[in-house]
Structure formats: structure tokens, C-alpha cells
Amino acid sequence: MKIELIPAIDIIDGQCVRLTKGDYDQKTVYRDAPAEVAREFEAIGFRRLHVVDLDGAKSKHIVNSGVLSSITAETALTVDFGGGIKTNEDIETAFAAGAAMVTVGSVAVTQPELFMGWLDKYGADRMILGADVRQGMISINGWKEDSSEGLLPFLKKYVDAGVKNVLCTEISKDGTLAGPAIDLYKQVMDTYPELHLIASGGVSSNADIEALDAAGIPAVVFGKAIYEGRIDLKRLLNKEIEEI
């Protein structure tokens, strides 16, 4: 299997949670200690982690930088962090707290010049363009608002500017365990084969991950399927592990 495997930790009130379709009223709390979950992910063989500050996404500024600091201090995981990164202070806070990369979506829609400045300052290897999609259009601010930007034109603007990493979430799939939007991701890869595309949303099983791998998708983020025991981690990571 070639696909990069990236477990997710979404944070509200310092707890490890998952939402359904980005709806804050459809929240499930799985664990109280995100740093402990991160340590367990590392112990079983994961090397990368996607952390989302859902409080930050809703509040439009970083809220859970302390949780990020705990995760990066207590593990050697390569952590990418998103949610609430709206200003120079926010992005500096994320990097100071140990993020190796940041995921930025809303600013790329609402303040493209600011995003371009960050891309130039920090480099394409440290920036992940967040492309959260609902009915083919980009959504922003914790998926609370829809923009007038279509997915492929939105990506073209930034691929032309040097973006290498894109996290694409099909919002209608996220947290549903209904299977990933493989056709959408294939469309992106067919158009921009040079991208390191990270698929997000809907993963429910090993078979879903294997299907993304077979489709040539470079990376996948998944969370709920792990927390609900739907992923056979032993088979996925091809090693003996303890249950998380």
C-alpha cells in the first residue's frame, strides 16, 4: 500500500471529538485527552497526525494551541494543524506550538494575498491548502459558510502559485462513515497529478482506504472509523499492535 495514512484528532473544549457533516450540534466525544490519543497513534505505528481546532474554526482564531503544544511535546509525530488560522499571529502560534505544517482554507478564499504571502514566507512544504467542498463549491469558516469558488478553479489558482499539498474534504461525507468521495478525488488527481492530495471524509473501513490507494490518491485522513473500531489497524499497518 502506497497511500500515506494520517489519523485525525479534532478538538472541542480540549476533548477529542468528531462531528457529522461539520455540524457542531452532531458532536460525539471520544476521548478527554488528545495528547494521550496522539501517543497511542504513535505507539502503534503512525508517523503523521492531522489536528483540527474546531473551536478555532468556529471562533475564527486559534483556541487550542495548548493542546497542540502537548501533542508535539509528547510525540515525534509530524503534525499538521488547522482550524482558526486567520492572521499572521495565528500561523506563528501554530508553528511555535510545534506544527510541522498548517492547513489553511478560509483565508485562501477570503484573503488570497495573505495566503500567498504565507506560501512565500514559509514555503510550499509547510503549507497545506484546505479545500472543503459542498456541492462542488468551497466552504469556509468551519463549514458554516459557502463561497462562490468552485473546487477546480480554486485549486488552479494556487497550484499555479506553487501549492503542493491539498487537503480535500467532501463535507457531505465527513463523519458519516458512508465511504469516501473517490470520484471527486480522482477528478482532482486527473487534473493536477503533481499534487500531494490528502483525501478526507467518509472513510469507514480498510476497504475504503484500499480503494483510495488503488485509485492513486496519495494520502488519506481518517478518524471516526478508528474511534469506532471499524479499522483493522493490525492489517492496515501490517504489524502486531494493541487495540487503541
Side-chain angles (χ1 to χ4, degrees), residues 4-26:
E4 184 179 20
L5 305 169
I6 310 173
I9 292 178
D10 293 358
I11 304 164
I12 292 179
D13 295 331
Q15 297 177 311
C16 184
V17 309
R18 294 297 287 177
L19 305 181
T20 298
K21 299 182 182 180
D23 186 349
Y24 284 74
D25 292 327
Q26 296 187 63

Side-chain angles (χ1 to χ4, degrees), residues 17 25 32 36 141 146 165 181 190:
V17 309
D25 292 327
D32 291 328
E36 181 179 310
N141 295 327
D146 292 327
N165 305 292
D190 287 345

